[in-house]
Amino acid sequence: MIKYEIKTNALSLFIDEEKVYSNSPLFTQDKSPVYFKDIVSVEANIVTPSLPSEYETKSHVDGDDHTLDSGVIYWDETDQCSFFYYGDSNVPGGDRFSIYKINSEDKTKASFTGSLNNFIFGSIPAGETPYLWGVFPYMSTTRCDNTSVTVKFPNVQSIPDNSFDEKAHVLVGMSETFRIQLSPAYATIRFKLDTTVNPDIPDDITYIQFSAKNKDAILNGNVNISYDENGQMVFEKISGTNSLQLTPQDGSYFKLDTWYYFHLLPSQLTGFNMRFITESGEMGMMSYDKSLDMYVNRIVNAAKTISSNIVF
């Protein structure tokens, strides 16, 4: 049974990956409105990147039974998504949908609930198509004008062991129906401070700066995301810098021989520099001088390259 509730001009909808609903159109061919009984629930399908086996989980999920060797990312009960229907650009962050159920047998699946406050009943102006946009995670700075979304990608990432900063785990999707697929809007670099490659790496590194060698590269900041005719994401970078600031999430040190992941906006790099600061104030450096195409959903294993070239 489809659950819905009318509140003034708001329709409460449920997003549930585990159920499949009929694909009834919201408007008929002559743009006349349909009735409530024809409105379908939103179904969200979260697509995660192909991850190496060491890639653990969502950032704030912990505990041994939350660790998967398969590299699947779990949902957490505090996760929230932004949804926009037909633009709704005046709503800061869009409509916030929260998890109300996580699949007990498969924590990669979760059900969300929320209200689409810009839901429109009646005719749509000729030549216009209302789109449903989704963005994870929920951010109050996210905006949408129906044809694109504008999101803010963080320049500071606080990284848990064997994982990534959830704020940088940006997923985006667009749909003409109430079924929507959210996909990664970033590239990833995977590294560890590998003492088998370089036994002289200190064990009290508290801060890492990653910088693109080409000054025009934008790795973070405000970006407008749309889709081309082939369904590929198009990035229009509005503002940002060519560097990222990385810290361990627990506030202590980057652990030796432990995997860490950081995300960046898709970019063409002519190379990169990294700066490492220890608690005692020592500074280490490394440099990589080859070009690197960091396209959407790419994961680069830079463990050996980084560790072997660190000099303190």
Side-chain angles (χ1 to χ4, degrees), residues 1-4 14 19 21 41:
M1 179 178 179
I2 297 173
K3 301 178 181 179
Y4 59 85
F14 289 85
K19 297 179 181 178
Y21 298 96
S41 178

Side-chain angles (χ1 to χ4, degrees), residues 141-179:
T141 54
T142 302
R143 295 292 187 272
C144 180
D145 64 1
N146 192 47
T147 61
S148 65
V149 289
T150 301
V151 299
K152 187 173 184 179
F153 202 87
N155 70 316
V156 177
Q157 297 183 30
S158 180
I159 313 175
D161 300 343
N162 299 307
S163 194
F164 52 83
D165 187 335
E166 181 183 298
K167 295 189 300 298
H169 183 58
V170 178
L171 308 175
V172 173
M174 181 194 75
S175 176
E176 292 186 29
T177 70
F178 286 116
R179 289 187 181 150

Side-chain angles (χ1 to χ4, degrees), residues 133 147 172-174 181 183 225-229 231-234:
W133 284 84
T147 61
V172 173
M174 181 194 75
Q181 176 175 293
S183 303
I225 302 174
S226 58
Y227 287 87
D228 64 18
E229 62 274 10
Q232 301 298 310
M233 286 186 188
V234 177

Side-chain angles (χ1 to χ4, degrees), residues 7-212:
K7 297 179 180 178
T8 61
N9 196 31
L11 174 68
S12 296
L13 298 172
F14 289 85
I15 301 176
D16 194 334
E17 282 188 305
E18 301 174 76
K19 297 179 181 178
V20 178
Y21 298 96
S22 63
N23 195 18
S24 301
L26 179 60
F27 295 93
T28 60
Q29 291 296 320
D30 61 0
K31 304 298 183 182
S32 59
V34 297
Y35 296 100
F36 295 158
K37 65 182 178 62
D38 297 316
I39 297 171
V40 297
S41 178
V42 181
E43 175 189 330
N45 176 33
I46 307 301
V47 176
T48 58
S50 300
L51 305 176
S53 60
E54 295 87 351
Y55 207 83
E56 192 178 356
T57 62
K58 298 279 298 334
S59 62
H60 54 265
V61 177
D62 55 18
D64 291 340
D65 45 44
H66 286 299
T67 304
L68 294 181
D69 291 335
S70 63
V72 177
I73 299 174
Y74 287 158
W75 288 109
D76 182 87
E77 61 184 8
T78 62
D79 288 333
Q80 296 180 326
C81 294
S82 295
F83 283 93
F84 300 85
Y85 181 74
Y86 200 32
D88 209 11
S89 59
N90 293 323
V91 178
D95 296 316
R96 188 189 308 224
F97 278 61
S98 302
I99 284 182
Y100 74 91
K101 182 178 66 174
I102 297 178
N103 188 306
S104 59
E105 297 179 356
D106 181 2
K107 294 182 175 62
T108 66
K109 296 180 179 181
S111 302
F112 289 76
T113 183
S115 297
L116 290 177
N117 292 294
N118 201 41
F119 197 85
I120 296 174
F121 299 98
S123 62
I124 297 293
E128 293 190 20
T129 301
Y131 293 106
L132 177 70
W133 284 84
V135 178
F136 176 86
Y138 174 85
M139 294 177 282
S140 62
T141 54
T142 302
R143 295 292 187 272
C144 180
D145 64 1
N146 192 47
T147 61
S148 65
V149 289
T150 301
V151 299
K152 187 173 184 179
F153 202 87
N155 70 316
V156 177
Q157 297 183 30
S158 180
I159 313 175
D161 300 343
N162 299 307
S163 194
F164 52 83
D165 187 335
E166 181 183 298
K167 295 189 300 298
H169 183 58
V170 178
L171 308 175
V172 173
M174 181 194 75
S175 176
E176 292 186 29
T177 70
F178 286 116
R179 289 187 181 150
I180 189 168
Q181 176 175 293
L182 305 183
S183 303
Y186 55 78
T188 301
I189 291 181
R190 167 182 183 245
F191 76 98
K192 63 180 174 180
L193 303 172
D194 193 342
T195 58
T196 64
V197 174
N198 185 351
D200 297 324
I201 300 175
D203 62 2
D204 65 340
I205 295 174
T206 60
Y207 170 89
I208 299 174
Q209 182 185 59
F210 177 93
S211 302

